[in-house]
Amino acid sequence: MYGAGDVRIETVPDARVVEPTDALVTVTRAAICGSDLWPYKSMEPSETGRRMGHEFIGVVEDAGADVRTMKAGDLVVSPFVWSDGTCVFCREGLQPSCLHGGRYGDDGVDGGQGEAVRVPQADGTLVVLPVGKDDALMPSLLTLTDVMATGHHAALAANVGPGKTVAVVGDGAVGLCGVIAARRLGAERIIILGRHPDRIALAKDFGATDVVSERGDEAVERVRELTDDLGAHSVLECVGLEASTVTALSVVRPGGAVGRVGVPQVESIPEGVTTFFGNVTIAGGPAPARAYIEELLPDVLEGRIEPGRVFDRVTKLAGVSDGYRAMNDREAIKVMIDL
């Protein structure tokens, strides 16, 4: 990406193993993430550009001498950040805070939207998949890299559990996966806040019981009507804008919890006084996808959840630029790249 709206496909030097803890992965599936749209909307022009993409599945082509948990030919899935798996934060299940980790596309590391990726700290990052690269479950397995793990993280941060009423703010891929996560964790009632008919239909298939298409104060009023003016026990904020955050914090009931996983576009958290006196828990952040992949993987393999349905467009690498446009223009929920 060279600036807002400027995504280019370029030939770059071949990825290769550099450190003994690296793995070289040939990408078979990748994705465009909602968080990729923030720089697509606002990135300042750059002469050097920025490697994009952090959601991918691929085949190990080569591995460094210190890699122990995979070999050439293994199909692997990567969380959206790489981590060593051994530092204090990794051991606590907080891989995005790894002391020796990093992000794809930064510091000379390849982006996931390409033919191959050098994966640092391969043993702590990659998970070997027990299926072939053309398995029908590939779309759902690809969501474990980020959006399904992030929806799950939002639900956990919001203390979703049996018998609770959940409100999901945002009908993008993460919000839709948040509906899956809420149902999986036993929520009794799931209110989706969104206004796109195709996404609402999918949310209902995933387990949403109520739909609120209003915005702002009207959305808050409608959620309160649905909850006897008490508010929701658990709220998943899956957008990151100030307006969506205000809505999320305004529809949570006293003693409830808000799980924030939308990348924040403002520095401060609004509704501070109201949530303070309501004893509202506010938690969340970047999902430790590596910690969740092995938990969620059996549900995908056995067909209990189908998060891959959030992919409603598939393109080849040459079509990635148009894929960004389609997602930005709300023509697509989420785009999968088939390499």
Side-chain angles (χ1 to χ4, degrees):
M1 186 176 294
Y2 281 84
D6 186 3
V7 178
R8 310 176 195 176
I9 309 301
E10 294 187 340
T11 299
V12 299
D14 288 343
R16 61 186 180 87
V17 169
V18 176
E19 301 292 340
T21 52
D22 290 349
L24 173 62
V25 175
T26 296
V27 178
T28 58
R29 297 287 197 289
I32 300 173
C33 183
S35 65
D36 293 332
L37 296 182
W38 296 124
Y40 186 78
K41 295 174 187 289
S42 61
M43 180 178 170
E44 293 294 326
S46 164
E47 293 184 1
T48 57
R50 168 180 165 189
R51 299 279 187 94
M52 297 301 295
H54 51 256
E55 302 164 291
F56 64 92
I57 288 173
V59 177
V60 176
E61 297 295 334
D62 192 14
D66 292 346
V67 177
R68 298 286 180 264
T69 61
M70 67 204 68
K71 62 185 184 305
D74 284 343
L75 185 72
V76 292
V77 59
S78 176
F80 63 87
V81 294
W82 49 271
S83 55
D84 64 13
T86 60
C87 81
V88 59
F89 295 118
C90 286
R91 294 197 304 272
E92 293 175 359
L94 289 172
Q95 288 87 348
S97 297
C98 177
L99 296 174
H100 309 107
R103 301 183 180 278
Y104 291 108
D106 290 346
D107 301 323
V109 177
D110 306 287
Q113 292 165 9
E115 294 178 330
V117 178
R118 174 178 74 89
V119 179
Q121 304 292 352
D123 280 334
T125 302
L126 299 173
V127 177
V128 177
L129 294 172
V131 297
K133 65 178 183 178
D134 295 318
D135 192 281
L137 292 173
M138 208 50 57
S140 286
L141 292 168
L142 184 56
T143 68
L144 299 182
T145 64
D146 188 341
V147 290
M148 185 61 226
T150 298
H152 180 62
H153 188 54
L156 292 180
N159 296 327
V160 174
K164 290 190 175 181
T165 293
V166 178
V168 179
V169 180
D171 59 5
V174 171
L176 293 170
C177 287
V179 172
I180 295 174
R183 183 178 185 184
R184 179 178 177 274
L185 293 171
E188 180 177 308
R189 193 175 190 184
I190 303 171
I191 305 167
I192 180 75
L193 282 75
R195 53 173 42 188
H196 300 89
D198 55 338
R199 302 174 185 215
I200 294 305
L202 194 52
K204 289 180 176 178
D205 283 352
F206 285 160
T209 57
D210 299 272
V211 177
V212 171
S213 294
E214 295 87 350
R215 289 186 174 180
D217 292 342
E218 292 181 353
V220 174
E221 182 180 350
R222 180 64 182 137
V223 173
R224 294 205 164 270
E225 286 177 0
L226 291 171
T227 58
D228 296 327
D229 203 32
L230 298 176
H233 298 92
S234 304
V235 181
L236 283 55
E237 199 292 303
C238 302
V239 182
L241 293 173
E242 183 176 15
S244 61
T245 304
V246 169
T247 297
L249 295 170
S250 299
V251 300
V252 64
R253 67 189 280 154
V258 177
R260 300 175 66 228
V261 294
V263 178
Q265 300 305 298
V266 292
E267 291 293 327
S268 59
I269 298 177
E271 300 295 324
V273 174
T274 303
T275 52
F276 174 81
F277 283 103
N279 282 290
V280 171
T281 298
I282 303 172
R290 181 61 182 81
Y292 297 148
I293 287 174
E294 286 162 332
E295 175 185 350
L296 297 170
L297 182 57
D299 280 9
V300 170
L301 294 174
E302 295 170 21
R304 287 189 290 271
I305 60 174
E306 297 180 278
R309 294 176 63 191
V310 299
F311 289 108
D312 57 348
R313 183 172 295 199
V314 180
T315 186
K316 295 293 185 180
L317 194 59
V320 167
S321 180
D322 189 60
Y324 272 84
R325 182 206 58 77
M327 286 180 60
N328 187 62
D329 293 346
R330 298 296 189 269
E331 292 178 10
I333 301 172
K334 190 166 179 66
V335 175
M336 180 166 66
I337 306 162
D338 183 354
L339 287 96

